Amino acid sequence: MTGQVTAAEVEAVARECIAVVDSELNALAAPAFEPTLHADPSGALDGVPFAIKDSGPVASGVPFSLGSRSITAARSPVDSTIMVRFREAGLVTLAQTTAPEYGLSFATESKRYGATRNPWNLDRGVGGSSGGAAALVAAGAVPLAHANDAGGSIRIPASSCGLVGLKPSRGRTPSGPLVGEAGFGLTVEFAVSRTVRDSALLLDCVSAHAPGEKYSMPTPLSRFVDAPTTDPGRLRIGVTTAAAPGSFTDPQVTRATVMCGELLEWIGHELDERGPTLATSDLLEAEMLAVYSSGAAILSLPHRPDEALLEAVSRQVLRETASAGVVDVERALAAQNRVTRGVADFFSHHDLLLTPTMAVLPLAIGALDYDDPDCTVRQWLQRLLEVSPFVSAFNISGNPAISIPLAQSREGLPIGVQLVAAPGREDLLLAVAAQLEQAAPWSDRLPLIYAD
């Protein structure tokens, strides 16, 4: 903080910006908080406007619905551990953002909230499940917003909205006591931002550490986005634009990924046209762990949700979870092990992997119908894999991955590319993302709806 403006002045402007952009985007799950949620004024990010996601019991006393009409009058009894870290960092939490029902869609379009719209094109969606967060950040209302990712829910909205979306390594950010502990390790808590530096600074603040101990990173990850320490040396980077033989990737997305590879070679890295060898069937089966986890959390509530108020795929999730047995879970865990081994084998010979984030451009509103009564859970997961077959593998394996907004389509829509590193190597991920941001900056690109 330079002292040129006060925290109160920043908050007032942020509140005005949120109100203006939300009237177009429908990104808020409820009216803005009044007053803001308490934070530590000595935190490294003191006074920075922030929003949390309607993804469960995040902040003490704050209502949540997980985007569902079936959950009413539910409030978190305590702060989640990630919320404790947000408060310690000094973030000024102003609002709660929209999410699809139970967070199980790449479209933030629920029966409870309606569609959240993309600030680049109001006929397009924002991705999911952290769609409201991405819409607010992309529109310039807040610089950072809470997001989480069990199968792409940070990176897909980041790609759709032209943002930086970092999914940290499994265990890098804290979970619990009520949110994020389940999910068989697939769910990671973090945020979306507009710059690599902002994501690195926030990660320094919220990385898992002992209770009561702040900022214990022996080497702050934010140093890896600073010149001259940005240079990670010559790295071997695999690149693929097709997750499986015959899978479809939009030609504009392919071109953006190839362009990124050329840029990495120009910077000085070595490229290898190869990616992990993974079976689509294993990705589908392993992602059932996230489904079982979500379903079990809802079924364990004191009052089971009224099925008449659920969207169709959610009803299927509860039914399939209730009927699942030990053999079903073991089958999914075995698939998780196969995916993890395949990813680990790739990173025994490579430093990073480059892929598209999404196989397609940001989807039109209504392109994904979560309320389709004829859709089984596995059919729904297959639809999500068609949107992006590139993201869920790294929830399953626990690797860190980042989506950066390196390109735009002919229509002016954002295109994200994904970088993946070995577990715990956020330093390489952030350093190379910072190199790309410096070589092909995106800060001058602003969407149609922007709080200027």
Side-chain angles (χ1 to χ4, degrees), residues 141-447:
V142 293
L144 299 160
H146 169 226
N148 45 34
D149 193 318
S153 288
I154 289 175
R155 290 157 291 160
I156 295 295
S159 181
S160 296
C161 294
L163 299 177
V164 174
L166 171 64
K167 182 202 79 68
S169 301
R170 179 176 297 142
R172 172 73 78 178
T173 58
S175 61
L178 298 175
V179 64
E181 284 190 315
F184 298 90
L186 272 66
T187 303
V188 180
E189 300 287 332
F190 194 50
V192 289
S193 76
R194 289 197 291 275
T195 71
V196 176
R197 172 183 291 277
D198 286 352
S199 287
L201 286 170
L202 183 61
L203 189 58
D204 282 341
C205 291
V206 304
S207 290
H209 49 261
E213 182 183 355
K214 295 184 183 181
Y215 321 132
S216 62
M217 297 292 294
T219 303
L221 289 164
S222 53
R223 74 178 284 269
F224 293 102
V225 304
D226 292 324
T229 55
T230 299
D231 186 5
R234 181 176 174 85
L235 303 178
R236 188 180 188 195
I237 302 175
V239 58
T240 182
T241 59
S247 63
F248 172 80
T249 303
D250 186 286
Q252 293 193 75
V253 174
T254 297
R255 178 57 196 153
T257 310
V258 170
M259 179 195 74
C260 182
E262 293 169 348
L263 196 55
L264 288 168
E265 285 188 309
W266 176 80
I267 289 168
H269 299 299
E270 175 189 353
L271 256 65
D272 174 15
E273 292 188 9
R274 188 182 309 175
T277 302
L278 307 173
T280 300
S281 58
D282 283 341
L283 296 177
L284 280 170
E285 197 61 47
E287 272 295 321
M288 287 299 295
L289 293 171
V291 171
Y292 295 146
S293 173
S294 297
I298 300 304
L299 291 172
S300 67
L301 292 174
H303 303 286
R304 183 165 178 164
D306 181 351
E307 285 204 4
L309 297 177
L310 291 173
E311 297 178 51
V313 177
S314 290
R315 289 196 293 271
Q316 283 293 109
V317 166
L318 295 189
R319 290 167 186 167
E320 294 189 29
T321 300
S323 64
V326 172
V327 172
D328 298 291
V329 175
E330 287 182 342
R331 184 183 301 115
L333 288 169
Q336 182 183 35
N337 287 335
R338 288 192 293 272
V339 171
T340 302
R341 288 196 298 270
V343 172
D345 179 68
F346 174 84
F347 282 102
S348 68
H349 302 95
H350 297 81
D351 299 298
L352 294 175
L353 171 67
L354 168 66
T355 76
T357 305
M358 298 171 63
V360 295
L361 299 178
L363 295 173
I365 297 287
L368 282 174
D369 181 10
Y370 191 72
D371 199 31
D372 181 355
D374 298 321
C375 191
T376 67
V377 172
R378 282 177 174 77
Q379 286 171 337
W380 178 253
L381 293 177
Q382 179 61 50
R383 292 183 190 181
L384 299 186
L385 276 177
E386 289 167 2
V387 173
S388 178
F390 304 102
V391 291
S392 66
F394 309 110
N395 296 87
I396 295 164
S397 66
N399 293 60
I402 191 170
S403 179
I404 57 173
L406 208 63
Q408 285 186 301
S409 73
R410 289 187 297 271
E411 304 89 340
L413 296 170
I415 298 175
V417 296
Q418 177 180 238
L419 292 168
V420 188
R425 294 310 307 266
E426 280 88 347
D427 57 333
L428 289 184
L429 209 58
L430 291 166
V432 174
Q435 286 183 325
L436 290 167
E437 186 177 24
Q438 183 178 15
W442 52 78
S443 61
D444 60 341
R445 299 187 205 136
L446 298 179

